[in-house]
Amino acid sequence: MRLTDQEKAMLDGQEGLAVQKAMEMLVRYGTALGAERFVEVSNAMGAYQLESVADWPCDKSIPSIFSQLGLDSDEIVAEPRVKIPSYYNQAYMDPYYYEVQCRTKADFDLFMEHEEFMARTGMNLIYSCTPYLCGNLPVKGEHVAWMESSAIAYANGVLGARTNTEGCESAYSAMLTGRTPYWGYHITENRYGTHLVEVECDIKTEEDWGLLGYYVGGIVQEKIPVLKMKNQGLTSDMLKHFSAAAASGGGVEMFHIPGITPEAYTVEAAFGPKKPVDSFKFGKEEKRLAYEKLNVTAKGDQVDFIMLGCPHYSVNQLWHVYDKMKGKKVKDGIEFWVFVPRQIRFLAERSGILQPLLDAGVKVMSDGCPCMGRTRPKGSNLVATDSAKQAHYLPNFTGIQALYGSTEECIHAAITGKWEGHLKY
């Protein structure tokens, strides 16, 4: 790799051990990728996931774990300090609800000790998969280094920022150096569409966008879909659901919706100098197939767990739950969890909607989700969720059965204990 004088100085240790180890890792990473140089990034987001204290090597200190998992270094970096605005991604639990999430006091203590260490590095501890709801909102053409699958697709496809799906080592190394290898979606010619998707049915709700994303992701896998469709009252929350579903249904990191996403004013602009390698439609039959696949694990209709907020809910979505829960209560024996960034939880509290939700039996949680924590309420067997991502992952991660549907259907199930959802054309 060709390094600038400043990059050579970082690699030689002139900016300290932490930066040196980060540069060593990035050079190995870039060399393996075939990158010829680095690109400067304006911000980075990452996290390494340890599901509980049982996963934490008992003979290792937090700085040594950071060095090993964050920088791929056996040499301990005692007090790293980030060079660029940096953000901590989701954690594995909400410390305020650790017992409800089947965690121990030891897990809580470890979480808080680790949080203090990460704060000393200068990181912004947002603990969210939706950094764009928490002040990290890059613009078109801005180079960043992010983790988290739905956030990657949203950054590239909705915001027009440029990032690959980083691992924890490369994300943390970017935080300490302000660099990442120049490859993949940082390069213009790699951002053109590959597959044309003719959307033939109405896509009007967040549920619809989840089904569309899940089906499209399953077809294109890691390629770049271009959606030819009508704009029917599109919102950022709908695009958020699409990003998560496409990333979990396949491995989509980039997409174009001509007239909506920043780099695609037309279908022709989305493909640039390239031709589609394939095209397919999304109509009523494809919608049915996606719905059935997301609901395949469910064996009954007696729900005991409701999970909303993957990706983390916006304040508008939380207001929607509040409106639907007015004058109602969660049925005894049912756990109803809604996940939001902690900043949104504070906003809900100040806006007067948090306490009524809590009084109704809704637990408004932050910092993680059942997917990242591999957790579910004790004794639960069937979860209802409005997240295609959670319906896809939770059965494999936790063994629970899953139902996918609209937010309204999930709330109805929380109140009655019975699933009455159905596919809507």
Side-chain angles (χ1 to χ4, degrees):
M1 298 186 70
R2 299 192 304 270
L3 305 186
T4 65
D5 289 342
Q6 183 182 4
E7 291 162 355
K8 290 177 182 177
M10 288 191 281
L11 185 61
D12 290 341
Q14 295 181 30
E15 295 190 22
L17 180 63
V19 173
Q20 181 180 33
K21 292 301 175 184
M23 279 301 296
E24 288 176 358
M25 189 275 147
L26 288 173
V27 169
R28 294 195 302 273
Y29 180 45
T31 300
L33 293 169
E36 296 182 356
R37 64 179 179 88
F38 290 113
V39 63
E40 293 188 35
V41 290
S42 59
N43 80 69
M45 179 182 72
Y48 46 82
Q49 296 297 332
L50 294 170
E51 297 171 25
S52 72
V53 70
D55 300 312
W56 195 279
C58 60
D59 59 339
K60 297 289 185 69
S61 66
I62 288 180
S64 67
I65 293 296
F66 174 86
S67 302
Q68 180 180 337
L69 299 185
L71 301 177
D72 191 33
S73 171
D74 291 330
E75 192 168 353
I76 297 176
V77 173
E79 291 293 334
R81 187 74 183 177
V82 300
K83 177 174 288 189
I84 59 175
S86 302
Y87 300 79
Y88 197 94
N89 191 14
Q90 285 169 288
Y92 55 88
M93 70 174 193
D94 183 339
Y96 297 101
Y97 279 105
Y98 75 89
E99 293 177 305
V100 176
Q101 294 181 358
C102 302
R103 301 296 180 182
T104 66
K105 180 59 164 57
D107 291 330
F108 171 83
D109 292 340
L110 177 63
F111 186 99
M112 300 310 296
E113 183 182 358
H114 181 252
E115 181 175 275
E116 291 175 4
F117 174 84
M118 299 310 294
R120 291 198 300 272
T121 71
M123 292 182 67
N124 295 294
L125 302 180
I126 60 172
Y127 292 128
S128 179
C129 57
T130 54
Y132 42 87
L133 298 180
C134 308
N136 186 357
L137 192 67
V139 299
K140 179 182 176 183
E142 187 175 350
H143 294 276
V144 299
W146 283 12
M147 287 180 65
E148 211 287 321
S149 58
S150 72
I152 302 302
Y154 194 95
N156 284 316
V158 180
L159 303 178
R162 300 192 171 199
T163 182
N164 298 303
T165 300
E166 300 294 350
C168 55
E169 298 91 343
S170 58
Y172 279 122
S173 295
M175 294 177 191
L176 299 179
T177 63
R179 302 291 192 279
T180 199
Y182 184 66
W183 77 289
Y185 293 114
H186 290 287
I187 302 173
T188 298
E189 51 262 38
N190 293 337
R191 297 174 64 86
Y192 293 119
T194 61
H195 290 65
L196 178 64
V197 185
E198 300 267 5
V199 182
E200 298 180 345
C201 60
D202 289 339
I203 305 296
K204 297 180 178 180
T205 66
E206 291 174 12
E207 179 189 4
D208 290 340
W209 279 96
L211 292 171
L212 175 61
Y214 193 66
Y215 184 84
V216 169
I219 297 296
V220 307
Q221 292 297 305
E222 297 180 355
K223 302 301 183 180
I224 305 174
V226 177
L227 276 58
K228 187 177 181 181
M229 62 187 301
K230 297 178 182 178
N231 176 18
Q232 299 170 315
L234 182 60
T235 68
S236 60
D237 287 324
M238 293 174 182
L239 291 173
K240 181 177 64 176
H241 276 277
F242 175 84
S243 298
S248 54
V252 173
E253 300 176 38
M254 173 89 192
F255 61 88
H256 296 290
I257 304 176
I260 299 297
T261 53
E263 295 169 67
Y265 296 106
T266 64
V267 170
E268 292 73 23
F271 286 103
K274 300 181 179 181
K275 299 292 184 181
V277 299
D278 196 8
S279 64
F280 59 93
K281 69 174 184 177
F282 182 85
K284 291 183 177 180
E285 176 63 14
E286 290 74 24
K287 188 175 185 179
R288 180 187 65 80
L289 291 172
Y291 185 86
E292 290 179 353
K293 188 174 182 180
L294 285 169
N295 287 277
V296 71
T297 62
K299 307 302 181 186
D301 58 8
Q302 300 302 304
V303 175
D304 48 23
F305 176 32
I306 310 298
M307 187 271 151
L308 308 179
C310 174
H312 281 176
Y313 260 15
S314 68
V315 69
N316 292 335
Q317 290 175 300
L318 196 59
W319 267 100
H320 182 62
V321 177
Y322 166 79
D323 288 337
K324 294 297 179 181
M325 285 298 300
K326 279 183 180 178
K328 302 179 178 67
K329 293 278 188 180
V330 175
K331 186 177 180 180
D332 289 344
I334 292 180
E335 286 288 326
F336 188 177
W337 298 358
V338 181
F339 286 85
V340 297
R342 202 181 295 189
Q343 293 90 332
I344 299 298
R345 194 177 191 275
F346 290 153
L347 180 57
E349 183 176 19
R350 296 192 70 176
S351 300
I353 66 172
L354 178 61
Q355 193 57 51
L357 284 170
L358 300 179
D359 293 341
V362 181
K363 295 181 173 67
V364 182
M365 299 179 173
S366 302
D367 300 351
C369 72
C371 178
M372 298 308 296
R374 274 51 166 186
T375 188
R376 69 190 200 192
K378 187 175 181 179
S380 59
N381 295 300
L382 180 58
V383 61
T385 180
D386 63 355
S387 166
K389 181 175 182 177
Q390 291 284 335
H392 175 81
Y393 283 127
L394 280 182
N396 289 321
F397 286 172
T398 71
I400 200 170
Q401 300 170 40
L403 287 162
Y404 173 78
S406 68
T407 304
E408 293 79 7
E409 289 169 340
C410 291
I411 293 172
H412 179 76
I415 296 165
T416 65
K418 185 177 180 180
W419 180 254
E420 298 181 11
H422 63 279
L423 177 61
K424 295 165 283 295
Y425 289 115

